[in-house]
Amino acid sequence: MLSLEPGAGSLPHQITRQLRGLIDQGRLAPGDPVPSTRALAGDLGVSRGTVVAAYTQLVGEGYLASGRGGTRVNPELPAERLRPREPRQRTPAPVRRRADLRPGIPNTEALTGTAWRAAWRAAAARPSLGYPAQGAYRLRELVAEHLRVTRSAPATAEDVLITSGARDGLRTLLGAVGPGSMVAVEDPGYPSLRAVLRDHGHRVVPVPVDAEGMEIAALEELNPQVVLVTPSHQYPLGATMSAPRRHQLLDYAARRGAIVVEDDYDSELRYVGQPHPALAGVDSRGRVATLGSFSKTVAPGLGLGFVLMPEALRARMCARATPASGMVQDAMIHFMEADGFRHHLERMRREYRRRRQVFVEVFGQRRAAPMDGGLHAVVYLEGAEQERAVVERCARRGLVVQALSEYWSSPQRSGIVLGIGAYSLDRTRELLGEVHTVIRAVESIDPRAKVEGR
C-alpha cells in the first residue's frame, strides 16, 4: 500500500507519512501487524535502516508498538485519534453452500487407489518433454483400443486427437469445419454449450427431441453444416436414440454433406444393460466425429479428452489443435496400461448403480423412474412457480440444484435436474431426502412425472 516518489521528501519521512495516513484512515486498525523492516525494505527497494528509522518515529508517536510478536499498529491507540470510517452498507451474509447437487459431478474418492498413484509417480519420474498437437501416439493407441472394445467403433491411433477436454475438441472440430457454421443442437440440451458455440461465432439452431432422439424432419428444414447430438444418453432427459433414427441421421448427413458430432456423454457410465454402439461404429461414410472426455469417468480437473476424427477433417483438425499436457498424457498412459482405467470404470458403474437405487428409495418408483446411466436424475414439477420455489428453498438450505427449464431454448417443462454422483452413498441419501422434503413442502410431486430413463 506504500509507494515512494523521488522529490517527495526523505525516504523515512515518506514511509512515516504514508503509514500514519493509513492508520488515521482506518485502513490499518489497532492491533494489525505491519511488515517486518526487512520485508518492507525489500518491497520498497530501500535499505533496512530507512524503514527502521520510519518505524522508530511512529513508535515514538504512539502509532506503532514493538514486541516479541513483531511490530503492530498500537493496540491501545485511542479511538479519537482515528478518523471515522465510511459507513458500510450491510448486506446479508451469503448462505454457506453445503452441497452441490448440479448434474455431471463425479465421485473422485474411489479414484485414488494404487494404480492411480503409481501412474502419477511414473509420469513424474520421467517428466514429459511434450507431444505433438495430435497427442502421444501410445495414448492414441490406447484410446482407439478402448473405443473399439467398449463402443464398437473401429479406430486407429491416426484417427484419434488428444484434447484438453470435450469443449477443446469441439472448438478444434468447428474450426476445421469453418467459421460461422450453422450448428444444430438438441432441445433440450446443454444450456452452457449453446452459449459457447455462439461466443465462437456459430449460429445455433435448436432441434426438438422426442423419445427416439433428435427429430430428423425438423433437421431437414434447417439444413445445418454441423449436427451435435448425444445419442447414447440424451442430456438431460436420458433417451437413447433408436436404431432407425440413427440411420436416418447418418443418411441425412451423407446426403447434405453435414458433419455429425457425437458427444459420447455418459455412455461409459451405463449401469442398466450394455452400452450402445457409438454412431461412429455404424457410420460407413465418414460423416461422424465422436467427442470423448475423461472428466466424468475419471476427474473433472484432469483436463483431458479425445476426438475420433472423420477422415475428411483429420488434417485440418490436427493443424488447429493445441497440445494437451504431456504430464497428464503420460499419467493416463500408465493408468490405462496397468488396466487401472478399466477397473475404475467397472467400480464406478457399480457405485452409480447404488446411487440410482438410493434415488428410487427416496423418491419412490411411482413418482420418479431413474436413469439407465450417468450422474444425474430429473424430477418434473407442475409449473415454473414451483420450480423457482424449489430451487430457491434448496439454496436457502445450502443445496445447489439445477432448474430443468434452463435446458430448453425456450422454457417448456419445469422441474429440477439432480446430480447423484458426487457424494458417498449415505450422504447422497441424506441430501436427496432434503430435496424431497423441499419438494413436498412446495407441492405434491406429480404422480405422472418421472425421470426419463428410456
Side-chain angles (χ1 to χ4, degrees):
M1 292 187 288
L2 306 183
S3 61
L4 304 181
E5 300 178 8
S10 69
L11 298 180
H13 177 71
Q14 290 189 55
I15 296 172
T16 301
R17 175 166 43 82
Q18 291 183 43
L19 277 174
R20 189 189 297 116
L22 292 173
I23 296 170
D24 284 341
Q25 295 163 15
R27 297 175 66 185
L28 287 175
D32 284 351
V34 295
S36 69
T37 54
R38 192 181 306 277
L40 187 56
D43 288 344
L44 297 177
V46 299
S47 70
R48 185 184 177 199
T50 298
V51 180
V52 169
Y55 279 17
T56 300
Q57 175 67 29
L58 290 170
V59 169
E61 295 178 10
Y63 276 92
L64 298 182
S66 296
R68 295 181 61 184
T71 304
R72 297 178 174 273
V73 178
N74 190 349
E76 299 179 0
L77 194 63
E80 59 268 17
R81 293 189 61 176
L82 303 177
R83 295 178 186 173
R85 298 188 185 188
E86 290 291 326
R88 293 182 180 178
Q89 185 176 358
R90 285 187 170 271
T91 56
V95 177
R96 181 176 66 88
R97 178 181 293 181
R98 294 170 44 235
D100 192 340
L101 290 174
R102 287 174 296 182
I105 304 174
N107 187 298
T108 58
E109 295 175 0
L111 179 63
T112 56
T114 303
W116 179 251
R117 294 195 299 269
W120 283 95
R121 283 197 300 268
R126 300 184 64 182
S128 172
L129 297 177
Y131 293 106
Q134 192 173 351
Y137 187 82
R138 180 56 180 152
L139 182 55
R140 290 188 279 127
E141 280 186 324
L142 291 165
V143 169
E145 177 66 7
H146 173 71
L147 290 171
R148 185 188 68 80
V149 171
T150 64
R151 310 294 291 116
S152 303
T156 66
E158 285 70 28
D159 300 320
V160 175
L161 171 69
I162 301 300
T163 68
S164 297
R167 290 192 179 184
D168 178 48
L170 180 60
R171 176 193 59 78
T172 304
L173 190 148
L174 290 175
V177 171
S181 303
M182 181 191 292
V183 183
V185 298
E186 294 170 329
D187 194 24
Y190 295 97
S192 58
L193 186 60
R194 292 192 290 264
V196 170
L197 293 171
R198 292 190 184 99
D199 289 345
H200 283 81
H202 302 287
R203 181 185 171 197
V204 179
V205 290
V207 179
V209 174
D210 61 20
E212 295 187 65
M214 182 177 279
E215 296 181 2
I216 306 303
L219 197 62
E220 294 272 9
E221 296 178 3
L222 295 167
N223 193 27
Q225 290 89 18
V226 180
V227 183
L228 181 57
V229 291
T230 53
S232 296
H233 187 228
Q234 199 278 330
Y235 185 77
L237 300 183
T240 298
M241 185 177 284
S242 67
R245 189 67 59 86
R246 290 175 182 235
H247 286 289
Q248 291 173 22
L249 176 59
L250 294 175
D251 289 343
Y252 163 82
R255 281 187 286 104
R256 300 292 184 93
I259 293 293
V260 176
V261 182
E262 174 185 24
D263 186 348
D264 217 24
Y265 179 84
D266 276 353
S267 63
E268 294 165 313
L269 295 177
R270 188 176 184 87
Y271 34 74
V272 176
Q274 294 299 314
H276 295 271
L279 267 181
V282 294
D283 172 33
S284 60
R285 289 165 283 191
R287 306 313 304 173
V288 176
T290 300
L291 293 178
S293 170
F294 295 105
S295 65
K296 303 290 190 303
T297 53
V298 182
L302 195 62
L304 195 67
F306 55 87
V307 183
L308 184 57
M309 301 177 288
E311 186 175 357
L313 294 179
R314 187 187 301 164
R316 277 179 282 170
M317 288 184 66
C318 291
R320 287 167 171 78
T322 54
S325 164
M327 182 76 78
V328 173
Q329 292 188 63
D330 284 341
M332 185 54 66
I333 289 171
H334 292 298
F335 192 48
M336 296 180 79
E337 285 182 333
D339 231 9
F341 181 55
R342 182 177 66 84
H343 287 306
H344 178 69
L345 274 181
E346 291 173 355
R347 178 177 181 179
M348 296 321 295
R349 287 192 194 104
R350 293 193 298 270
E351 289 291 328
Y352 295 141
R353 186 183 296 115
R354 294 188 184 103
R355 284 158 179 75
R356 175 184 190 268
Q357 184 57 37
V358 166
F359 180 82
V360 172
E361 292 170 6
V362 172
F363 285 91
Q365 284 280 20
R366 185 178 66 85
R367 293 180 173 178
M371 295 283 179
D372 291 339
L375 303 174
H376 74 278
V378 178
V379 177
Y380 292 140
L381 299 171
E382 293 176 358
E385 288 300 321
Q386 289 81 2
E387 179 189 85
R388 188 179 306 111
V390 169
V391 172
E392 290 176 354
R393 289 191 182 198
C394 283
R396 287 200 291 269
R397 288 172 171 249
L399 307 178
V400 185
V401 300
Q402 191 90 39
L404 177 61
S405 61
E406 296 177 6
Y407 289 83
W408 269 272
S409 56
S410 58
Q412 296 183 29
R413 295 298 303 270
S414 299
I416 54 171
V417 185
L418 294 172
I420 61 172
Y423 300 99
S424 69
L425 206 62
D426 290 340
R427 180 67 170 151
T428 299
R429 181 180 286 105
E430 175 189 335
L431 293 171
L432 291 180
E434 277 199 65
V435 174
H436 189 254
T437 298
V438 169
I439 292 174
R440 290 181 62 187
V442 171
E443 65 168 15
S444 296
I445 300 176
D446 183 354
R448 297 166 300 171
K450 67 176 182 177
V451 176
E452 297 292 345
R454 295 171 291 216

